[in-house]
Amino acid sequence: AMASSSALRMPGYALLVFVAVLAQTEGFYLPGVAPRAFKDGEAVNMKVQTLVSTETPLQFDYYQLPFCEPGQIKDLPENLGEALAGEKAHTSAFDARMKVDEYCKTLCRKKYSPQQMEEFQ
């Protein structure tokens, strides 16, 4: 009878220890994923990443396809999740600012050949 009553109290004791340990922990952010506050009108850097498809398991670098490009494409530092997933991030030509409304802004104009249009499919 003694063993069964202590076995019944053990899950309650384990829960109490878990809650006590949890109360002692502090939160932290991984590098590159911490929240950031922006001021009104401040530029928000938009990045482009690896493209994936439901049609094929292959991944494509964003700029392998004929998308609009910035003046200079720079590789951006990856956070841990991006590195583990094999994603590459680059600068983009997009221009966005915090709390600045813009509608239908043209990024660039391009003419695509039939072969380039095939690449988008």
Side-chain angles (χ1 to χ4, degrees):
M2 182 79 103
S4 64
S5 82
S6 67
L8 292 175
R9 285 185 283 177
M10 188 55 114
Y13 177 72
L15 179 62
L16 179 63
V17 169
F18 176 74
V19 171
V21 169
L22 188 62
Q24 297 295 319
T25 61
E26 294 182 24
F28 68 94
Y29 293 107
L30 293 173
V33 295
R36 182 175 184 279
F38 290 90
K39 296 176 183 168
D40 292 357
E42 184 179 352
V44 177
N45 294 326
M46 306 292 276
K47 62 182 179 178
V48 296
Q49 291 185 309
T50 306
L51 299 172
V52 294
S53 169
T54 57
E55 302 293 320
T56 176
L58 298 176
Q59 295 182 348
F60 296 95
D61 185 80
Y62 186 86
Y63 290 118
Q64 281 181 309
L65 296 174
F67 288 116
C68 298
E69 299 177 5
Q72 183 179 9
I73 299 171
K74 295 179 187 172
D75 290 342
L76 298 174
E78 304 170 43
N79 66 37
L80 181 60
E82 291 168 339
L84 292 175
E87 296 180 357
K88 288 233 172 211
H90 307 288
T91 52
S92 74
F94 296 102
D95 179 30
R97 302 201 171 267
M98 183 57 69
K99 292 190 177 181
V100 175
D101 293 332
E102 292 185 314
Y103 301 96
C104 299
K105 186 175 177 182
T106 302
L107 183 60
C108 71
R109 295 189 186 278
K110 291 185 111 178
K111 290 187 178 185
Y112 295 107
S113 69
Q115 181 184 358
Q116 287 175 317
M117 292 303 293
E118 285 283 322
E119 292 177 13
F120 280 116
Q121 295 182 2

